[in-house]
Structure formats: C-alpha cells, structure tokens
Amino acid sequence: MASEGVEGAEGAGVSGSSGGPGGVDGGEPGTVRPGGRTARVREAVLRAAGDALVEHGFDGLDLADVARRAGVGKTTVYRRWSAPAGLVADLLSDMAEQSLPRADTGSLAEDLRANARLVVRTLADPRQGALFAAVIAAATCDPRTAEALHRFYAVRIAEWSGCVEAAVGRGELPAGTDPGEVIAAVSAPLYYRLLASGAPLDEAAADRAAAAAVAAAREGVYVR
C-alpha cells in the first residue's frame, strides 16, 4: 500500500482537507468535510495528536495535552473527538485522504517498485515510522483504533489495486489474480522490518519486496 503517514506518508499529510471530526455535524471521524476555522482547528489538532503519539504512544495520548499543543481550547477537542480513539480514527481518515495516488508506468514491476519505495520512505522516516508503529500497537488493544486502521489500509490497497488490474488486462498476470493480495504482499515484508526484525528499511529492501510480489503473482499464487 502506498504509504501512510502524517506529512506525506505514503503521501499522507495531516492537512485537515477532508473528513470531519467526530461530533461535528453528528458524524464519525472522516465523514464530513469541514471548512474555514473548523478545518484549521482540525489540522492543528491532528498534527498535535501525531506529535503526541510519536512521543508517548497511544497509552500516553491525552486530549488536554493535544489541545495545549494545538493551541485550542480543551472543550473544543473533547466536544469534537471525545476520546483518544476518536482522535486516532480521524487522524487515520485524514492520512488516507491525503495519501498520494498510485503510480501508472505501464509496467507492473515498475508500479510495484514505486509502491514499495514509497512505503519504505514513509516507514524509514523517524516521525512517520514511529507514528505508524504507535498506531499499529494501539490497534492491537483498542477496537475503534483497529477499525480505523483497517479502513486506512483498505483505502490504500484499493488505490494501488489498479496497478494489478491493469497488468491483468495487459496479459502480464493470469486472469483472476486478486489485486489486494498482490499489493499487501509488497508491503508485508517492509512492515515486518519495521515492527519485528529491525532490518534496514532501504531501497534494496523495497525492490526485493516488489520483485517477490511480482514473481509470485506471475506464477498464479494470488489467483482467487
């Protein structure tokens, strides 16, 4: 999946351009599009929430601290997000909306290499990598955060699935290849390096992950 992150992760950026805070117009995070001052407040709060997650993790995410960092009133944050899980859900919604579109080079190998390198740039970034690690850790124990994380990755996989669908149409891959499985196979070894092995996250790792996914797909491993 193309990256993920705050400030351009996978192209994601906390900019408050879409998706509304929970409690605004009665919507769940990411369901309304605020404008004007509401958008500026949301942008500041989401950036502050990302900073707090990087520094303290989900367990240390405090709405009053986020309000202080963002320079807004505590009542504004409590009214619009109500709980740390709601704030993380909105952060992920914004990241998904701001993520970069997929590559379209006309070659599956090149498209997936671009995908893998974008993921690596995100996860190797000190701030963005730490942010993703914190959100993933939170998702293991908080159902609402887990649901938001699943939505985030569903959006990113759907965005990049077009690369695989185009490759099937060109005859590069067998009919019936599952696009989502191929895209997930690109990112999986890179997230393993971030969360488990601690092995380097570099372009060589990205290129190997992409090449392995392409080779498996061509052999029909991901045919439904």
Side-chain angles (χ1 to χ4, degrees), residues 105-152:
T105 67
S107 162
L108 179 68
E110 291 301 320
D111 287 348
L112 295 191
R113 184 178 296 115
N115 176 282
R117 289 186 176 190
L118 185 55
V119 173
V120 160
R121 286 198 300 273
T122 297
L123 300 185
D125 180 86
R127 184 179 191 276
Q128 296 178 58
L131 177 59
F132 271 96
V135 171
I136 291 168
T140 64
C141 59
D142 182 81
R144 189 173 177 185
T145 302
E147 181 182 354
L149 186 65
H150 297 162
R151 285 197 303 269
F152 171 83

Side-chain angles (χ1 to χ4, degrees), residues 2 14-15 19 21 30 55 62 64 68 85 109 134 167 171 179 194 206 213 216 218:
V14 173
S15 69
E55 293 177 24
D62 177 75
R68 179 188 60 77
L194 173 72
R218 286 175 174 163

Side-chain angles (χ1 to χ4, degrees), residues 4-221:
E4 298 113 2
V6 186
E7 298 194 36
E10 231 207 20
V14 173
S15 69
S17 65
S18 61
V24 175
D25 296 334
E28 282 295 305
T31 62
V32 294
R33 186 181 297 272
R37 181 178 181 280
T38 299
R40 292 192 296 273
V41 168
R42 180 171 179 259
E43 178 179 4
V45 169
L46 294 186
R47 178 173 293 278
D51 291 342
L53 277 169
V54 168
E55 293 177 24
H56 304 300
F58 182 75
D59 288 344
L61 186 61
D62 177 75
L63 297 190
D65 176 54
V66 170
R68 179 188 60 77
R69 291 169 182 260
V72 302
K74 289 189 294 184
T75 56
T76 297
V77 175
Y78 281 99
R79 182 175 67 251
R80 295 179 179 177
W81 287 276
S82 74
L87 192 52
V88 173
D90 197 22
L91 178 64
L92 286 166
S93 293
D94 188 75
M95 287 161 59
E97 292 291 339
Q98 297 302 316
S99 293
L100 292 173
R102 70 177 177 88
D104 185 8
T105 67
S107 162
L108 179 68
E110 291 301 320
D111 287 348
L112 295 191
R113 184 178 296 115
N115 176 282
R117 289 186 176 190
L118 185 55
V119 173
V120 160
R121 286 198 300 273
T122 297
L123 300 185
D125 180 86
R127 184 179 191 276
Q128 296 178 58
L131 177 59
F132 271 96
V135 171
I136 291 168
T140 64
C141 59
D142 182 81
R144 189 173 177 185
T145 302
E147 181 182 354
L149 186 65
H150 297 162
R151 285 197 303 269
F152 171 83
Y153 283 114
V155 169
R156 298 311 298 152
I157 286 176
E159 171 68 24
W160 282 82
S161 289
C163 299
V164 180
E165 293 163 357
V168 172
R170 292 191 299 264
E172 284 191 70
L173 296 179
T177 297
D178 187 325
E181 289 295 323
V182 177
I183 299 304
V186 175
S187 291
L190 305 175
Y191 276 87
Y192 178 82
R193 286 171 177 254
L194 173 72
L195 300 170
S197 75
L201 277 164
D202 51 24
E203 285 195 350
D207 293 351
R208 282 195 298 272
V214 170
R218 286 175 174 163
E219 290 298 317
V221 170

